[in-house]
Amino acid sequence: MAVLFPFVFIAFVFLLLFLSGIFVVQQQQEYIIERFGRFNRTALPGLHVKIPFVERIASKVDLRTRQTAMQIDGKTKDNVTITMTVAAQYHVNYDRGADPTQSGVFRSYYMLADPEDQMRAYIADALRSAIPNYDLDAVFDNKDSIAADVNTTVAARMVGYGYDLVSTLITSIGLPADVEASMNKINSAQREKEAAQALADADRIKVVVEAQAQAQAMEESGRGIAAQRKAIAEGIAGSLDVIRESGVSTREANQLFLFTQWAEMMGEFAKKGNSSTVVLPNDFNQTSSMFEQMLAANKADDNQ
């Protein structure tokens, strides 16, 4: 038993060393394996074995898309200093190249110590070169196209370091307090001007519509009065014709018609008038002038 113990111990040690050399690469990751401090290979997702004490995992490269946010100052064409919040989305280049040392994973680890700082510097330089070509209003209007141009410029540089810049977004633009207050006043004044113009247009339309409606009402009223008068005239003419056919002379017919109208008017006057006593002439020949006087009195009473 004592003779077997050293062999068992050695086998146990070798087993531990073998197990320590087994590792698993997760999905969307790629490991860089170095042998004696020198790049040897990359390990794709799955089960792998490395030589203990000889090989080591130098880096666990994440292949997922990442995002970094940064704030960059710039001066516009009209000398306004603005602060832009920029979000950059990027990932390790997936190209494996003809040789492992030409892959995006190799370059992303061995060529840049801090890729985010390098990318931030490129983006800041590109933005500060682009913003002076625009005044303040144009920056707001063209921020998407500015970001797209910056993304194209920086992406061409970062691909050499093993990174793909997916997109660059200008998420917000900050203004100095006095400039922002001035812009708010300008916008408020513009909105008040537009509101006043809209109210004036509404009032003008209202007046025009009311005038048109009144004109139409007066036109219809005139037509109604004309039709009423025509009907009255036709009725009077018809009544006179009937009276004449009975053998009464024209003068007598006119007198009879006048008396009938006068009597009807007096009845209405008695209903609507404020006086309880009415003085009438004893001679009907005087009714012509009396009739006209009663008509005037009745008209004046209706207007009260």
Side-chain angles (χ1 to χ4, degrees), residues 238-260:
S239 298
L240 290 175
D241 291 340
V242 173
I243 293 173
R244 291 192 192 97
E245 291 176 357
S246 64
V248 180
S249 65
T250 301
R251 184 175 180 279
E252 290 174 344
N254 290 336
Q255 288 292 329
L256 178 60
F257 181 75
L258 181 63
F259 177 77
T260 303

Side-chain angles (χ1 to χ4, degrees), residues 17-23 31-35 40-41 43 47-58:
L17 291 176
F18 176 77
L19 293 176
S20 66
I22 297 176
F23 64 95
Y31 289 4
I32 295 177
I33 308 299
E34 291 181 344
R35 180 177 296 175
N40 179 260
R41 66 186 184 278
L47 181 65
H48 298 271
V49 178
K50 62 182 178 66
I51 302 174
F53 305 111
V54 176
E55 296 179 340
R56 73 180 187 95
I57 299 174

Side-chain angles (χ1 to χ4, degrees), residues 31-149:
Y31 289 4
I32 295 177
I33 308 299
E34 291 181 344
R35 180 177 296 175
F36 295 119
R38 183 178 180 179
F39 173 77
N40 179 260
R41 66 186 184 278
T42 60
L44 300 177
L47 181 65
H48 298 271
V49 178
K50 62 182 178 66
I51 302 174
F53 305 111
V54 176
E55 296 179 340
R56 73 180 187 95
I57 299 174
S59 177
K60 299 178 180 180
V61 180
D62 193 343
L63 301 178
R64 294 174 297 179
T65 299
R66 289 175 284 178
Q67 176 173 298
T68 181
M70 60 196 80
Q71 289 189 333
I72 300 172
D73 296 332
K75 182 173 287 189
T76 63
K77 189 175 182 179
D78 46 357
N79 292 322
V80 178
T81 301
I82 59 177
T83 301
M84 294 164 288
T85 301
V86 180
Q89 297 177 343
Y90 65 98
H91 60 73
V92 173
N93 183 270
Y94 301 141
D95 186 13
R96 302 198 174 278
D99 183 83
T101 59
Q102 298 177 359
S103 66
V105 173
F106 179 89
R107 286 177 286 142
S108 67
Y109 178 71
Y110 288 103
M111 298 190 69
L112 279 180
D114 195 335
E116 286 192 3
D117 280 349
Q118 186 65 54
M119 183 169 55
R120 185 179 291 109
Y122 281 145
I123 292 175
D125 180 68
L127 272 177
R128 287 168 181 160
S129 298
I131 295 302
N133 297 321
Y134 301 88
D135 56 26
L136 183 59
D137 291 336
V139 170
F140 281 93
D141 294 337
N142 298 280
K143 70 181 186 69
D144 291 337
S145 61
I146 294 173
D149 293 340

Side-chain angles (χ1 to χ4, degrees), residues 206-271:
K206 181 180 179 181
V207 170
V208 171
V209 171
E210 289 179 352
Q212 291 175 346
Q214 185 176 5
Q216 292 176 357
M218 293 179 66
E219 182 179 356
E220 294 298 328
S221 176
R223 292 176 180 175
I225 293 173
Q228 181 184 20
R229 290 176 179 176
K230 181 179 179 182
I232 293 173
E234 291 176 352
I236 293 173
S239 298
L240 290 175
D241 291 340
V242 173
I243 293 173
R244 291 192 192 97
E245 291 176 357
S246 64
V248 180
S249 65
T250 301
R251 184 175 180 279
E252 290 174 344
N254 290 336
Q255 288 292 329
L256 178 60
F257 181 75
L258 181 63
F259 177 77
T260 303
Q261 293 294 102
W262 175 78
E264 291 179 357
M265 181 275 296
M266 290 303 297
E268 293 295 325
F269 179 78
K271 294 179 181 179

